[in-house]
Amino acid sequence: MSRRLFESPCTKETHEKWMEQYGKVYKNAEEKERRFQIFKNNVEFIESFNSAGDKSFKLSVNRFADLTVEEFKASLNGLKKSSHWAAGAATAELETASFRYENVTDIPETMDWRERDAVTPIKDQGQECASWWAFSSVAAIEGIHKINTGKLVSLSVQELIDCVRGNSEGCYGGFMEDAYTFVAKNGGITSESNYPYIGVEKTCNPNEKETKHSVAKIKGFEKVPSNDEKALLKAVAKQPVSVYLQSSGYYFQFYSSGIFTGICETGADHAATIVGYGKDIDGTKYWIVKNCWGTQWGEKGYIRMKREVNAKEGLCGIANNATYPII
């Protein structure tokens, strides 16, 4: 089944085809009927949005189409057991006071670290583990490791989920700051092939072979000055940067293509990695953001988010609390 819009009206046959495409199975007939009604409402919302044609981005029916926005937030973004989480609460032991790119002036008009082979393929956190903080950290470390060594290595998200502690809680959400601190103190992070992702938190055992074979090392991290897209641009011109953002609305849930300008708040409930920036033919400037929801979401796993918006924190708070690892 293609990603184009489903035929209207949405039928149970349509839902059956969607279930087959995404391998969905429900526990009983009542649950299936409830999911069909949610699916139907979502399809109608998506079709209505796209038909209006008054936005710079499109939505599509994806694997999240049988979830309400509240369920989507709970399963992919929000924490499942903690209530104290808020961006900035991490134990930032190895944060430096400097912003090394403050005086950078050689800023290219466009930058795409994918084209410079500093970005690994899109990964998928699944729907049972809120591990976005670890994926964001890993993507940023992969980028600076490639820039400094010339070697692009897919690094282990699972090692961070199992071993990073403090305010971070594995599959219940966490902080890139905690991840960077762990990697620096641990003497590095191992590869994805050596310690593969399973999407379930398990006990960290420092004597296991997985945590001994580090392939990428960092000294710590620095923070981009808050609420400053110009400073963020300087950093992204030099390396991929981790960002917290707000992504729990229908627009983000079903984003398919184009430059995202959807309504969102600034309270962070997710994290991703900016891997570049550019400008559309109409002059609209955007960030290139790597997500961790697989290649069937967004633009093959990426989202272009409008930059230089009329808000100091950036769209969805993207410039509010950005960090990057240092070597």
Side-chain angles (χ1 to χ4, degrees), residues 3 14 29 35 42 49 116 129 141 157 179-180 190 214 236:
R3 295 182 57 190
T14 301
R35 290 297 160 190
N42 285 337
F49 176 90
R116 302 192 179 205
C129 185
I141 297 173
V157 171
Y180 296 145
T190 193
S214 299
V236 178

Side-chain angles (χ1 to χ4, degrees), residues 2 4 12 22 32 39-40 43 55 127 149 154 163 166 183 193 205 217 241 251 284 299 308-309:
S2 70
R4 66 173 181 263
K12 290 188 176 182
Y22 291 102
K32 183 176 180 180
F39 176 83
K40 183 174 182 291
V43 170
K55 297 293 190 295
Q127 287 184 234
T149 68
S154 183
C163 301
V183 174
S193 60
N205 184 348
K217 299 180 179 181
V241 175
Y251 298 127
T284 303
E299 295 182 328
E308 295 188 10
V309 299

Side-chain angles (χ1 to χ4, degrees), residues 71-232:
E71 290 171 331
F72 172 74
K73 179 177 181 179
S75 64
L76 278 96
N77 300 329
L79 301 186
K80 298 178 181 177
K81 66 180 181 182
S82 286
S83 59
H84 68 272
W85 187 86
T91 52
E93 297 179 47
L94 295 181
E95 176 185 353
T96 71
S98 64
F99 174 52
R100 63 185 54 205
Y101 301 128
E102 178 65 37
N103 298 318
V104 166
T105 56
D106 56 330
I107 303 174
E109 185 174 3
T110 63
M111 171 59 72
D112 189 339
W113 287 108
R114 296 172 298 183
E115 296 177 352
R116 302 192 179 205
D117 198 29
V119 183
T120 59
I122 288 291
K123 301 174 183 180
D124 190 348
Q125 72 178 54
Q127 287 184 234
E128 301 298 326
C129 185
S131 49
W132 32 262
W133 62 279
F135 280 94
S136 176
S137 308
V138 157
I141 297 173
E142 289 169 345
I144 194 63
H145 181 71
K146 160 64 180 182
I147 292 167
N148 279 268
T149 68
K151 299 177 181 179
L152 180 64
V153 182
S154 183
L155 301 175
S156 176
V157 171
Q158 191 67 43
E159 182 177 1
L160 299 183
I161 294 171
D162 293 347
C163 301
V164 176
R165 290 299 178 264
N167 287 294
S168 295
E169 299 187 52
C171 280
Y172 296 98
F175 300 91
M176 287 81 81
E177 295 92 332
D178 286 344
Y180 296 145
T181 297
F182 167 80
V183 174
K185 289 188 172 183
N186 189 55
I189 182 172
T190 193
S191 66
E192 166 70 16
S193 60
N194 197 44
Y195 199 162
Y197 185 69
I198 60 174
V200 177
E201 184 179 346
K202 64 179 184 179
T203 302
C204 176
N205 184 348
N207 295 318
E208 287 183 355
K209 67 174 184 177
E210 291 93 338
T211 56
K212 287 186 175 182
H213 299 286
S214 299
V215 297
K217 299 180 179 181
I218 63 172
K219 291 182 178 179
F221 69 96
E222 292 178 351
K223 184 176 180 179
V224 178
S226 297
N227 302 324
D228 188 343
E229 281 199 280
K230 291 183 179 179
L232 184 56

